[in-house]
């Protein structure tokens, strides 16, 4: 398969439309691979419906929510709300990628397949949270309304290539966040559910990561610049939700998602797999982007080391207090 074109050698020649056309064959290949390895699963099979009971409202036997009813840890509740509100914005995400990637051919098939798979995540998480009474249902709905009413606009909507680079990292970040939330939740049922969701997210990451690798082959300078921009300015898609900064800080302390995890478990695996820092033959702008990317990763690693020290000191203080 030949991906390069003698007429599109310069960066200026690569428009979004030309990149979409040039990558169509890769999208089809990755879509077929994905459909072979992805397994259908039933959201209702992961929800403990037998634990459910009515809430106040139209039911005379309705029982108000109380924190004592929740089986999950405090940080688990925080992370579950953040993760679900992120999944709730699926209509906006679909609009974004359908606009960028189109609804025709292999691109369109992938857009709709991805949306259908992601839809399961919100369904199973909400059913679990309400059935198990893991979180306050009224606050959850209020947060959902506030978050979705604000709408969502991607930082990378200006560029198809930036969007591909972003989701290659973001899908892995979401997978890691879900998996760690399950580990820290304190509820085996929740852990099993989030492990299933994380499996989907990992497959989505592989699709976009491989697509990003193909983009490096046909437009290395532009792709390097896109990766540099995305990594340096990376934000999780839920950054606009109510109370996100406070929740993110608590999730960082709870080791669900923090700078060390972001560096070691999200950015590095993708960069290492694609051998981004080893790509040579770049033009001036591509080389500059690669250098700046390397410098940023070094700074982030140093900042993560400082965070590690603070977290270790905090754990030591808590252990000392517990031992008194």
């Amino acid at each position: 398969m030949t991906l390069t074109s003698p007429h599109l050698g310069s960066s200026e020649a690569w428009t979004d439309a030309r990149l979409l056309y040039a990558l169509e064959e890769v999208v089809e290949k990755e879509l077929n691979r994905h459909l072979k390895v992805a397994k259908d699963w039933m959201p209702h099979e992961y929800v403990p419906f037998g634990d459910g009971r009515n809430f106040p409202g139209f039911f005379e036997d309705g029982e108000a929510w109380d924190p004592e009813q929740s089986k999950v840890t405090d940080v688990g509740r925080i992370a579950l709300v953040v993760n679900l509100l992120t999944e709730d914005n699926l209509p906006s995400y679909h609009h974004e990628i359908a606009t960028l990637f189109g609804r025709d051919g292999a691109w369109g098939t992938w857009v709709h397949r991805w949306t259908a798979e992601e839809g399961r995540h919100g369904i199973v998480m909400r059913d679990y949270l309400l059935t198990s009474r893991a979180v306050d249902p009224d606050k959850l709905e209020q947060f959902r309304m506030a978050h979705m009413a604000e709408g969502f606009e991607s930082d990378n909507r200006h560029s198809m290539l930036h969007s591909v680079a972003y989701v290659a990292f973001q899908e892995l970040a979401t997978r890691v966040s879900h998996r760690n939330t399950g580990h820290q939740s304190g509820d085996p049922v929740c852990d099993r559910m989030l492990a299933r969701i994380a499996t989907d997210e990992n497959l989505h990451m592989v699709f976009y990561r491989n697509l990003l690798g193909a983009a490096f082959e046909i437009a290395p300078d532009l792709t390097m610049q896109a990766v540099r921009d995305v990594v340096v300015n990376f934000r999780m898609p839920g950054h606009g939700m109510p109370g996100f900064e406070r929740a993110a800080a608590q999730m960082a302390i709870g080791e669900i998602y923090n700078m060390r995890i972001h560096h070691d478990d999200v950015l590095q695996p993708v960069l290492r797999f694609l051998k981004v820092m080893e790509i040579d033959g770049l033009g001036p702008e591509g080389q500059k982007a690669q250098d700046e990317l390397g410098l940023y990763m070094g700074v982030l690693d140093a900042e993560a080391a400082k965070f590690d020290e603070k977290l270790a000191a905090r754990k030591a203080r808590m252990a000392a207090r517990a031992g008194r």
Side-chain angles (χ1 to χ4, degrees), residues 107-168:
W107 280 104
T109 302
W110 167 253
V111 166
H112 295 303
R113 173 72 190 197
W114 174 87
T115 302
E117 292 184 4
E118 288 287 343
R120 286 181 178 143
H121 303 167
I123 290 170
V124 71
M125 288 181 67
R126 184 173 300 281
D127 286 350
Y128 165 79
L129 293 182
L130 296 180
T131 301
S132 67
R133 292 184 171 240
V135 301
D136 185 333
D138 292 343
K139 288 186 178 179
L140 180 63
E141 177 59 13
Q142 290 162 5
F143 284 155
R144 187 192 70 83
M145 286 295 295
H147 185 41
M148 293 191 70
E150 285 294 318
F152 172 82
E153 287 188 341
S154 169
D155 295 333
N156 303 287
R157 61 188 180 279
H158 63 287
S159 162
M160 186 276 288
L161 198 52
H162 280 71
S163 296
V164 170
Y166 175 74
V167 289

